[in-house]
Amino acid sequence: MLPSLLFEVMLIGLLGVGSQWIAWRYRMPAIVVMSIVGLLAGPILGFMNPEKDFGELYNPIISVAVAIILFEGSLNLSFKEIRGLGRPVFRIATIGVFLGWVLGSLTAHYVIGLSWAAAFVIGALFIVTGPTVIMPLLRQSKLQPRPAKILKWEGIIVDPLGALLAVFAFEIIAFLTASNPDGSALLIFLAASVFAAVMGWACGLGIGWMFEVGYIPEFLKSPAVFIIVIACFTFADEIAHETGLLAVTAMGVTLANMNISSIDDMRHFKENISLLLISAIFIMVTASLQLDTLLEVFDPSILGYVLLMMFIVRPLSIFLSTIGTVLSLNEKLLLGWVAPRGIVALTVSSYFASILSQAGYADASLITTITFALVFSTVVANGFSIGWLAKKLNLSKEGRPGTLIVGSNSFTVNLAKSLQKAKSPVMVVDSSWKNLRKAREAGVPFYHGEMLSEQTEYNLDTIPYDYLIAASEYDAYNALLCTTFMPEYGRTNVFKVRPYRRNMNDTGDMVRKVGGRFLFKQELTLEDLNQRIRENYILRQTTLTSRYNYKQYLQDKAEETIRLYVIKRSGRVRYFSEETRITPEVGDVLVSLTPPVKEINKIKKRLENQRNNGNGKSQPNGERGGVDQSS
C-alpha cells in the first residue's frame, strides 16, 4: 500500500504522463500503454485502488474530468468542418446508434444470457466511443481528413447520447415491468434531458457574449470557462443523472460556432489539460478494477460477445446506416472497425450495475466485467491496428515527414524541389499569387491563401507535414507563424528565417526572440539565401558512406557551403539549426547549398579527361567520396 493519499495522487499523475511519453517514444498507442500500466499498478500488483482510497470523492473526480474532456472535444466541433459530411455524420449518430443499440442488446441477451433490462442498458453503453479514446487514436494514426472528422464527430456526439440512452432504457424497462406502471419518471427524465441541452446552449451563449463585450478579463477567461463547465455539468447532473454530459457538449458546440477569438487562444491550454486528465483517469479507472473482474473476462460467452460486437455488430451498423452516402467502401470498412470504448462506458457501467442490482436483477454484477472486456479488447485491437489498416485501405497520410513552407521565393522553391527529389512531402504556402509564380513554374505543390486564416485551416490538409518553415519577407509575420503553430508542430519542428539584415539596435530585431528556431544560421537571412540562388549555388545531395563519412565531408566542403538538412536512413528529415545538434551517420543523405565552383571544376575535369582520352591517354579518377549529386 502507498504511504499517503498525496503520494497516490502524485503516482497517478506520474504513471499517466509517463505512459504518454513511453507511447510517444516507442510509437505505441497511448491508451493501450495507460491501460496496461493502470492494471499493473492496481489489480495485478496491488499498489493502489483509487476507488477505495479516494472514497466518496472518486466518482465526482472522474465525472468532472470526463465533463471537461468532453467539453474540450466539443469545442472542435465547428459546423464548417463537416461541409459535405453532414449526412454520414447524422446517419451514424442516429440510425447507426439505434442499430448498434438494438443489435448489441440482442447479442448480450442471447449470447451471454443477460436479462432484457441489463442487456438493453449495456447495449446503450456500448455505442459510446468518446474523445478519451478517439482523440489519442487520431493523434497517432494520421488518417485522411474525411474518416478522421467522422470518427471525431461521432465520438463526441455519441458520448453523452450513450449514457442518456442507458438511463432511458432502464426507465423504459422499469415502466414496462412495473406492476403499477407510472410514466412520470420517464417524462421527468426526458424533460431533464431537454433542459440540460438548453442550459448548455445558454451557458455557451452567455460566456461567449461576456468574452466579446469584455466583461471578463483575459487572465480570468480560462478559469471562468472551466468553472462554468463544471457548474453546467453539476446542475444538469443533479437534476437527472447523466444529463450533465449532454449539457457540456451543447455548451462546447455553441462556443465552437460563435467564432470567438478568445476560445481559439485558449484551445492549446485546454488540450493540455484534457491530455493530463485523460492520462490520470485512465490510470485511476483501470487501477480500481478487481482481480476477480479480470478473471471473469475469460468466460467463453463473454469472449464470444466481444468478438461479435467488434466483427459483426459495429460493421453492420455502420454499413446499414451509411447506405447512399458519399463514403467509399474503404472508409466504411475503417469506420466499421474503429470503435474503441472508453472511460464513459467504464465509469457509467458501475453506476448501472448498482441500480440494477438494487432493482433485483441478479445478472447486474456481470455488467462491469463485460464492459471492461469490451473496453480493453477494442482499445488494444484498434490501437495497434488503426495505422496498419488505414495504410492498407489507402486512408493514411502517414509517410515520410513533410514540410510546410510559408513564403514563395527563389530559395524556398529550390528547397521544395530538393525535398521533392528526396520524396518528402512538401507544400509552399503564400497569400500572393504573384509570389507563387516560381512554385507553379517549378512544379512544386503550392497553396494560395493566408496561413493564419480560418479558411486555410479548413481547406489545407496539414496532416502530412511535421515541420513548418516561416520564410516570408516579413520578420514579425514569421515570428507570429512560429508562435501560433508551435503547440501543434512542437518547438523543435518550427523554424524561421530572417528576411533582411538589420541594425541590431533596431526595435524590429526583438521579434528574433519570439517563437521558432532560426533555420541554418541565425545571421543567415532570406536575402542571403536568395542571393546565393541568383549566384547559381547548387542544392547538392551527398550520401555518406563508410569510405566518406561526415568528418571527411566537413574537411572537404567549401567554406561558403550551407548545410540545409539531413535525410536519415529511416526517411526522417532533420534541419540544421544552431539550436539543434545533428550528427549525420553512414547511410544518411546530407543536402547542402554549395558554391558552383565544385561543379565548374568537375566539368573542367571531365573535359580534360575527354581530351586526354582523345590523345590516347587515360586519366584515373582520383575523386573519393560518397554518392554526390546535385539537385
Side-chain angles (χ1 to χ4, degrees):
M1 295 298 293
L2 300 176
S4 68
L5 192 60
L6 176 62
F7 189 89
E8 185 168 340
V9 171
M10 178 276 299
L11 185 60
I12 289 170
L14 187 64
L15 292 176
V17 176
S19 298
Q20 292 277 1
W21 182 85
I22 291 172
W24 166 81
R25 181 67 178 82
Y26 297 102
R27 298 180 65 83
M28 298 172 64
I31 48 180
V32 174
V33 178
M34 290 185 291
S35 299
I36 293 174
V37 169
L39 291 175
L40 288 173
I44 296 177
L45 299 178
F47 287 153
M48 60 180 174
N49 185 339
E51 185 175 14
K52 178 182 177 182
D53 298 336
F54 283 82
E56 294 184 357
L57 287 176
Y58 176 79
N59 286 327
I61 290 173
I62 297 294
S63 297
V64 168
V66 170
I68 292 173
I69 293 166
L70 189 57
F71 169 75
E72 189 276 326
S74 62
L75 275 179
N76 297 309
L77 298 185
S78 173
F79 294 129
K80 294 179 181 178
E81 186 182 85
I82 58 167
R83 289 171 179 166
L85 295 179
R87 191 177 184 187
V89 169
F90 177 78
R91 289 275 200 89
I92 292 172
T94 53
I95 300 173
V97 163
F98 180 76
L99 290 173
W101 177 36
V102 173
L103 293 174
S105 303
L106 293 174
T107 306
H109 177 72
Y110 288 109
V111 174
I112 304 178
L114 291 182
S115 62
W116 285 114
F120 272 92
V121 167
I122 205 170
L125 287 181
F126 289 164
I127 66 169
V128 173
T129 53
T132 58
V133 284
I134 284 296
M135 294 307 184
L137 283 185
L138 296 181
R139 195 178 297 118
Q140 157 205 341
S141 59
K142 284 193 173 183
L143 289 180
Q144 287 184 0
R146 190 156 72 178
K149 289 175 182 178
I150 291 174
L151 284 171
K152 182 178 74 172
W153 273 79
E154 180 201 7
I156 296 172
I157 292 174
V158 173
D159 207 35
L161 290 183
L164 291 173
L165 197 57
V167 176
F168 178 75
F170 176 75
E171 295 292 347
I172 285 287
I173 294 294
F175 173 77
L176 294 177
T177 57
S179 55
N180 296 312
D182 182 8
S184 59
L186 186 59
L187 292 175
I188 291 172
F189 167 72
L190 293 174
S193 300
V194 173
F195 172 76
V198 173
M199 184 172 68
W201 169 77
C203 287
L205 285 181
I207 195 70
W209 175 76
M210 293 180 74
F211 280 6
E212 288 294 276
V213 298
Y215 283 161
I216 299 179
E218 289 296 327
F219 73 94
L220 274 182
K221 285 184 176 179
S222 290
V225 167
F226 278 112
I227 200 62
I228 292 174
V229 168
I230 295 171
C232 183
F233 170 79
T234 303
F235 281 119
D237 215 57
E238 287 295 314
I239 294 172
H241 200 63
E242 302 308 329
T243 59
L245 296 179
L246 180 61
V248 296
T249 303
M251 178 179 170
V253 172
T254 301
L255 281 170
N257 291 278
M258 290 180 67
N259 298 320
I260 301 172
S261 58
S262 301
I263 298 299
D264 293 332
D265 295 340
M266 292 188 292
R267 179 164 285 132
H268 293 299
F269 170 72
K270 295 191 294 293
E271 287 175 353
N272 292 336
I273 294 295
S274 180
L275 184 65
L276 182 61
L277 290 175
I278 289 174
S279 305
I281 62 177
F282 248 105
I283 298 296
M284 290 177 65
V285 171
T286 52
S288 299
L289 294 169
Q290 300 298 317
L291 191 58
D292 294 341
T293 301
L294 302 184
L295 297 177
E296 287 178 346
V297 167
F298 297 100
D299 184 278
S301 63
I302 294 179
L303 292 177
Y305 173 75
V306 169
L307 293 175
L308 287 172
M309 288 292 292
M310 293 173 64
F311 291 98
I312 302 296
V313 173
R314 169 67 179 186
L316 192 59
S317 63
I318 290 295
F319 272 84
L320 291 177
S321 63
T322 55
I323 292 174
T325 63
V326 295
L327 299 184
S328 66
L329 176 62
N330 285 356
E331 288 172 328
K332 292 179 183 180
L333 287 171
L334 181 72
L335 296 174
W337 170 247
V338 179
R341 277 63 168 191
I343 293 299
V344 170
L346 271 177
T347 54
V348 177
S349 67
S350 60
Y351 164 75
F352 283 107
S354 64
I355 64 170
L356 284 170
S357 179
Q358 293 171 8
Y361 293 96
D363 53 1
S365 59
L366 287 175
I367 288 182
T368 303
T369 301
I370 300 169
T371 303
F372 171 73
L374 187 63
V375 167
F376 191 75
S377 299
T378 53
V379 161
V380 172
N382 292 164
F384 280 110
S385 65
I386 185 172
W388 173 84
L389 183 61
K391 289 179 182 178
K392 290 294 182 182
L393 298 175
N394 296 319
L395 296 175
S396 174
K397 288 286 187 178
E398 191 167 4
R400 289 195 171 189
T403 304
L404 205 57
I405 304 175
V406 183
S408 178
N409 49 68
S410 299
F411 170 73
T412 57
V413 169
N414 278 272
L415 178 64
K417 286 175 63 178
S418 73
L419 289 166
Q420 267 190 311
K421 184 176 180 179
K423 297 181 179 179
S424 178
V426 64
M427 177 73 71
V428 176
V429 181
D430 204 303
S431 58
S432 169
W433 187 251
K434 179 181 177 182
N435 290 346
L436 284 171
R437 178 183 174 184
K438 291 183 173 64
R440 298 197 303 271
E441 292 176 346
V444 171
F446 65 90
Y447 177 83
H448 179 223
E450 169 54 57
M451 190 63 199
L452 294 174
S453 74
E454 186 180 7
Q455 184 178 4
T456 298
E457 181 182 351
Y458 293 118
N459 294 335
L460 178 61
D461 178 16
T462 60
I463 293 177
Y465 310 109
D466 294 81
Y467 304 99
L468 183 137
I469 295 175
S472 76
E473 57 187 5
Y474 302 105
D475 211 356
Y477 180 67
N478 292 339
L480 178 61
L481 278 170
C482 292
T483 304
T484 301
F485 289 98
M486 191 179 294
E488 181 177 344
Y489 287 90
R491 187 174 299 275
T492 58
N493 294 342
V494 175
F495 301 93
K496 62 184 176 183
V497 183
R498 281 194 305 140
Y500 308 106
R501 294 189 179 276
R502 282 195 179 99
N503 187 321
M504 293 299 289
N505 295 323
D506 191 343
T507 56
D509 190 65
M510 288 191 298
V511 296
R512 293 169 41 177
K513 300 181 180 180
V514 180
R517 300 187 175 199
F518 281 102
L519 194 62
F520 316 135
K521 297 178 181 179
Q522 183 169 331
E523 66 273 9
L524 197 64
T525 66
L526 186 60
E527 186 180 25
D528 298 330
L529 293 168
N530 283 327
Q531 179 62 33
R532 282 165 170 75
I533 296 296
R534 288 192 290 271
E535 293 172 357
N536 297 317
Y537 272 58
I538 297 165
L539 274 79
R540 180 181 299 279
Q541 293 184 358
T542 303
T543 303
L544 301 180
T545 66
S546 56
R547 296 177 57 190
Y548 190 72
N549 56 31
Y550 184 54
K551 183 177 180 181
Q552 292 170 310
Y553 168 84
L554 292 177
Q555 292 173 351
D556 289 353
K557 75 177 183 67
E559 185 178 350
E560 298 85 1
T561 296
I562 301 171
R563 291 168 294 164
L564 304 180
Y565 60 89
V566 172
I567 306 172
K568 307 295 288 184
R569 282 176 292 182
S570 62
R572 182 187 177 193
V573 175
R574 297 199 64 191
Y575 288 93
F576 282 97
S577 170
E578 291 181 350
E579 299 173 290
T580 305
R581 294 184 180 180
I582 302 178
T583 305
E585 302 170 343
V586 172
D588 294 348
V589 178
L590 196 151
V591 181
S592 57
L593 190 60
T594 307
V597 177
K598 189 172 183 179
E599 285 296 314
I600 294 172
N601 290 338
K602 288 178 71 174
I603 293 171
K604 288 180 178 179
K605 189 173 183 179
R606 191 180 304 116
L607 293 172
E608 184 180 350
N609 284 340
Q610 290 175 355
R611 287 195 299 270
N612 291 334
N613 289 334
N615 294 330
K617 298 178 182 179
S618 63
Q619 179 72 26
N621 185 1
E623 184 180 350
R624 64 173 183 173
V627 181
D628 204 6
Q629 301 175 340
S630 60
S631 298

